[in-house]
Amino acid sequence: MNDTTAADGRHDFDFLHGRWQVHNERLRQRLVGSEDWEIFPAVQTCAPVLGGLGNVDAFVSDWGRPGAEDGFQGMTLRLFNLERRQWSIYWAGSHDGVLEPPVVGGYDNGVGVFHGELEHEGRPVLAKFVWNAISANTAHWHQEFSPDGGVSWETNWHMWMHRSDEHGRLLHEDAVIELRQYRMQPGRRDELIDLFEREFIEPQEAVGMHVIAQFRDLDHADRYTWVRGFPNHALRAASLDAFYGGPIWKRHRKAANATLLDNDDVLMLRPAWPGSGFAAAPSARASVGSAASGEGVVAIGICELNAPAEDGFAALFEQRFAPWLGAGAELLATYATDPSPNGYPRLPVREREAVLVWFARYPDEAAQRAHFAALDSDPRWRALLADAMLGDLKQAPQLLRLAPTARSELRA
């Protein structure tokens, strides 16, 4: 492939090839000022045609379009015009089998915008397709209609896409994670856990996040800790806006917020060194309503530092501390402060702090206690920790001892 071929636009939709889980939010009534959104899942597969000058996707859902007996299916044909260097996008649905007129356009700075003329309930409208929030495993499409020649636009359909493997498991990139610690209203932790695991996991992942783990704090009955990941900061802001501005959070936010005293203890982190982040979960998450209980114990160590971890403590931890921790536990991951600005200020994070955070898993609480008792009694470990306290560490590391919830990925 020469540079001209690579840059002329014909590969703009290569990201879409493959298999996707699709979270749909579709306005039930269009151009009447409605805010009633219907939500349904779908599966989409996309393959190239014409040697890469086009692609075809198939969209399959159980959603019942009004007046149809079977689940709705759609098909999109995209063709790249070499002379004009632009895409034409054609859509057809199982409700009528008619290929609609195309919307035409292209990409600029990672955002694709495509315009055309369609009909809605017998009257002409201008139509706009927009593609954005694109990464290796995520993408977002939405559709807008204008009944007044482009003076005003109404968004009527979102498709949040998350790539999946051949078994239907979502694929994730966790270049940025949040470690979130909540103080709960007394006695209401399990109420939030039930709501969270029933209503909030799949919708967050549908819009591009990765809900990695959820925990009960073993030492504080009214603490709830959880971890989620993002491909990058731009997509963090986009996916958070999609979820917290979307219909599912609006439907349940009062119930969730009523259980909380404080939810602002949040660390934004990145892998402390290449390869130190979480590995992919070995098995699928338990289903909604599963009777399975969380297994094992996860310990999280939070080391507050006098300087950024990359100034020396990350290397020291990898070389000296990690072997000790890994000798009695499964050391899962090590992260350090991500100093990037918070791109979604609606949700505060602890900024201007330097930390290193490690995650380790034990088969049970007895194994965790025995390991730390062994460390505390070993003079070599005590000397290593004392040396760090004299230089790198602001204070003794904070230890969280956590029990995974039923739907946490970090279960033993």
Side-chain angles (χ1 to χ4, degrees):
M1 182 189 306
N2 60 44
D3 290 342
T4 302
T5 299
D8 68 5
R10 72 180 70 188
H11 295 284
D12 286 341
F13 277 104
D14 284 6
F15 73 89
L16 196 54
H17 300 160
R19 179 183 177 91
W20 302 83
Q21 301 287 338
V22 185
H23 171 84
N24 294 271
E25 297 175 4
R26 185 181 187 275
L27 203 58
R28 291 183 189 274
Q29 292 182 290
R30 298 172 176 179
L31 304 177
V32 295
S34 173
E35 293 186 0
D36 183 13
W37 294 85
E38 54 190 336
I39 301 168
F40 62 95
V43 174
Q44 179 169 302
T45 55
C46 181
V49 296
L50 303 181
L53 288 180
N55 60 65
V56 177
D57 69 41
F59 173 96
V60 180
S61 75
D62 291 329
W63 171 63
R65 190 180 178 103
E69 296 182 0
D70 300 322
F72 180 73
Q73 298 186 34
M75 183 204 77
T76 307
L77 171 65
R78 302 177 186 85
L79 296 172
F80 184 73
N81 186 306
L82 283 169
E83 182 178 354
R84 297 180 179 178
R85 295 190 176 185
Q86 63 182 197
W87 286 90
S88 295
I89 303 176
Y90 304 81
W91 164 263
S94 59
H95 62 296
D96 61 8
V98 175
L99 198 65
E100 295 184 349
V103 293
V104 178
Y107 280 81
D108 184 28
N109 291 323
V111 177
V113 181
F114 308 85
H115 292 89
E117 298 181 4
L118 302 178
E119 284 191 2
H120 174 65
E121 297 183 345
R123 59 170 168 160
V125 295
L126 295 182
K128 183 192 300 183
F129 289 4
V130 179
W131 282 94
N132 65 349
I134 298 166
S135 73
N137 294 316
T138 64
H140 171 238
W141 170 91
H142 77 262
Q143 175 179 264
E144 302 175 33
F145 282 174
S146 173
D148 51 20
V151 176
S152 62
W153 293 89
E154 177 187 78
T155 298
N156 57 53
W157 197 336
H158 290 276
M159 291 184 184
W160 291 93
M161 309 179 67
H162 205 139
R163 190 181 300 278
S164 65
D165 63 17
E166 64 273 18
H167 305 295
R169 293 189 62 189
L170 299 181
L171 304 177
H172 303 289
E173 307 162 81
D174 297 325
V176 182
I177 71 165
E178 294 173 349
L179 172 60
R180 309 186 67 85
Q181 299 183 67
Y182 291 177
R183 289 193 303 120
M184 310 299 301
Q185 296 282 358
R188 303 191 71 176
R189 180 171 67 183
D190 282 354
E191 183 182 339
L192 178 63
I193 289 172
D194 289 344
L195 176 63
F196 190 99
E197 306 218 332
R198 184 179 66 249
E199 302 291 351
F200 293 159
I201 294 178
E202 281 75 14
Q204 289 186 82
E205 295 198 333
V207 298
M209 300 181 238
H210 178 201
V211 180
I212 298 170
Q214 310 88 251
F215 305 102
R216 293 175 175 89
D217 192 309
L218 291 170
D219 299 309
H220 301 90
D222 296 318
R223 294 288 180 93
Y224 174 61
T225 299
W226 64 290
V227 183
R228 65 181 168 190
F230 309 85
N232 56 51
H233 284 281
L235 292 177
R236 174 180 177 269
S239 58
L240 290 174
D241 187 59
F243 178 71
Y244 291 106
I248 293 175
W249 175 249
K250 290 178 181 178
R251 185 180 303 164
H252 298 289
R253 65 185 173 189
K254 287 185 179 179
N257 288 335
T259 68
L260 301 175
L261 280 175
D262 177 77
N263 63 346
D264 290 344
D265 187 351
V266 181
L267 290 170
M268 191 162 64
L269 307 167
R270 62 187 181 188
W273 58 82
S276 74
F278 290 113
S283 58
R285 177 188 287 115
S287 60
V288 175
S290 172
S293 60
E295 298 172 351
V297 169
V298 170
I300 300 178
I302 301 175
C303 305
E304 293 193 43
L305 306 176
N306 291 312
E310 55 267 27
D311 286 359
F313 187 72
L316 175 67
F317 182 88
E318 182 183 15
Q319 295 164 10
R320 303 287 304 280
F321 285 89
W324 282 93
L325 293 168
E330 180 187 1
L331 193 58
L332 297 171
T334 308
Y335 287 85
T337 299
D338 189 321
S340 304
N342 180 11
Y344 195 73
R346 175 178 168 182
L347 295 183
V349 301
R350 289 164 54 181
E351 298 184 270
R352 294 178 295 278
E353 295 186 27
V355 300
L356 181 139
V357 180
W358 53 264
F359 298 76
R361 181 163 51 200
Y362 297 84
D364 52 41
E365 190 174 358
Q368 182 272 319
R369 290 187 181 279
H371 182 213
F372 272 82
L375 289 176
D376 290 341
S377 65
D378 194 305
R380 294 168 297 175
W381 169 262
R382 295 200 305 269
L384 180 62
L385 190 58
D387 285 345
M389 289 289 296
L390 292 174
D392 296 292
L393 295 176
K394 275 190 174 182
Q395 58 188 21
Q398 178 189 7
L399 179 67
L400 307 180
R401 300 184 325 112
L402 309 171
T405 64
R407 303 196 69 210
S408 175
E409 286 190 353
L410 296 188
R411 298 168 63 212

